[in-house]
Amino acid sequence: MSGQNGQNGQNMAYSEAPAGVAARLSGGRWTRAARRAPRSPVLERVAIAVAALMVVIAVVGPLLAPHDPYAVDLGSALRAPSAEHWFGTDANGRDILSRVLYGARVTLLATVVVIIAATLIGTLVGTVAALGGRVVDEVLMRICDIGLSLPAIILALGLAAALGQGLDSAVIALAATWWPGYARLVRTLVREVRDAEYVDAARMIGLTRARLVFRHILPNALDTLYVQTTLDVAAVMLVISGLSFVGVGAQVPSAEWGAMIAAAANNLTNGWWAVVFPGLAIMITAIAFNLVGDWLRVRNDPTIREGKAR
């Protein structure tokens, strides 16, 4: 019964998320367009493989780098892709392939930290709002509405600038602006399952509220949460790279992908490879994780599977 009620709550959470945050909770315009397109099992498997590969590269990439990603060699500046430097070199003679491999860890680790922090904060706020009474709910949801009324990158840009330049500041700023979407989602899920029969039964046998929440209510939200976090990998990564590009995130000569593009932007005409390859890394990773998140959503939402079958 617990699993059945949890599944029903999950389905209703997908369909009843507040309209103001529908785009945020659904993974964005490109993901919604992908859902309307015909589904290909081969494409889904490729996306899963690419996402897994990017995670592996983030873990072992520095060990695979053929050169020191920070070694300056002005005599090799802006060399085109060759057998020695597969992705070419930048204006300081640094090997682009090595920097892309090394930057996978920097970029994805920052993304994961932001998502974990935002998920924890959003889960706490959403649970308290759903179970804390009308006044608490109203106050917390109005705070969420304020956070969701402006683009996350604008809020993060201002907060990161106030905290000071650096990737740590960008991560803190983005985590502080990304949690309202999760709070809204968790609130919806908790409100749907808090009056379920199995929850009433657990309440009648004397379980404390904390045990009730952590053992019976929140576990039923995990499926929806991990789908949403997977969809958010692409969005968070793009914002982190964007903050680095405008100079408030990772700073040159960091091997973060956005910072690499920013450093190479002035040499685009005679060193296009220094921009293209980090940009491709961002694009491929973002598309792969969006498709994986969409695949997980289809697997965990029977209404979509039924629609697909019809």
Side-chain angles (χ1 to χ4, degrees):
M1 182 177 294
S2 171
Q4 181 178 0
N5 282 283
Q7 189 69 64
N8 292 338
Q10 175 185 321
N11 296 340
M12 296 182 72
Y14 276 125
S15 60
E16 297 182 5
V21 294
R24 179 81 166 268
L25 299 183
S26 64
R29 178 178 58 188
W30 295 108
T31 303
R32 295 196 301 275
R35 289 177 193 145
R36 292 193 294 267
R39 300 187 183 281
S40 169
V42 175
L43 179 60
E44 292 172 348
R45 294 189 184 98
V46 170
I48 294 170
V50 171
L53 176 63
M54 298 310 297
V55 172
V56 171
I57 290 176
V59 175
V60 303
L63 301 177
L64 302 176
H67 301 277
D68 182 348
Y70 294 106
V72 174
D73 181 7
L74 296 179
S76 301
L78 292 178
R79 287 190 177 179
S82 63
E84 182 180 1
H85 301 284
W86 289 6
F87 288 3
T89 63
D90 64 10
N92 292 296
R94 294 181 292 240
D95 182 64
I96 299 297
L97 173 59
S98 300
R99 290 175 63 76
V100 168
L101 292 173
Y102 193 91
R105 174 180 296 184
V106 178
T107 304
L108 289 180
L109 180 60
T111 300
V112 170
V113 171
V114 169
I115 289 177
I116 290 176
T119 302
L120 292 176
I121 298 171
T123 299
L124 175 62
V125 173
T127 303
V128 172
L131 302 177
R134 181 175 179 179
V135 174
V136 174
D137 183 35
E138 286 293 325
V139 171
L140 292 178
M141 288 304 100
R142 296 300 77 76
I143 294 174
C144 290
D145 289 342
I146 293 172
L148 290 165
S149 64
L150 294 173
I153 190 170
I154 301 299
L155 294 175
L157 182 62
L159 186 54
L163 293 173
Q165 295 178 336
L167 186 58
D168 292 343
S169 296
V171 168
I172 294 172
L174 194 51
T177 58
W178 206 265
W179 62 265
Y182 290 112
R184 276 285 191 183
L185 179 60
V186 171
R187 171 183 175 270
T188 301
L189 294 168
V190 172
R191 285 169 65 92
E192 295 299 337
V193 301
R194 67 182 179 183
D195 297 324
E197 292 181 3
Y198 74 93
V199 175
D200 288 337
R203 189 181 293 116
M204 291 176 62
I205 64 175
L207 290 185
T208 63
R209 173 170 289 191
R211 191 173 181 184
L212 194 65
V213 169
F214 288 105
R215 186 171 179 177
H216 294 282
I217 295 179
L218 286 182
N220 288 305
L222 292 180
D223 287 348
T224 304
L225 281 177
Y226 76 69
V227 170
Q228 187 57 45
T229 55
T230 305
L231 289 168
D232 278 350
V233 167
V236 172
M237 183 180 63
L238 290 172
V239 174
I240 288 177
S241 298
L243 292 175
S244 298
F245 181 80
V246 299
V248 298
Q251 301 297 298
V252 177
S254 173
E256 197 276 328
W257 290 337
M260 291 173 62
I261 295 174
N266 293 330
N267 299 306
L268 185 59
T269 56
N270 57 346
W272 56 265
W273 49 87
V275 173
V276 168
F277 288 113
L280 283 175
I282 294 173
M283 182 185 72
I284 291 171
T285 306
I287 292 175
F289 275 98
N290 256 344
L291 291 174
V292 170
D294 183 48
W295 172 75
L296 289 173
R297 183 175 184 270
V298 171
R299 284 179 59 88
N300 286 280
D301 192 341
T303 60
I304 297 180
R305 292 201 300 271
E306 291 170 3
K308 179 181 176 182
R310 288 196 296 266

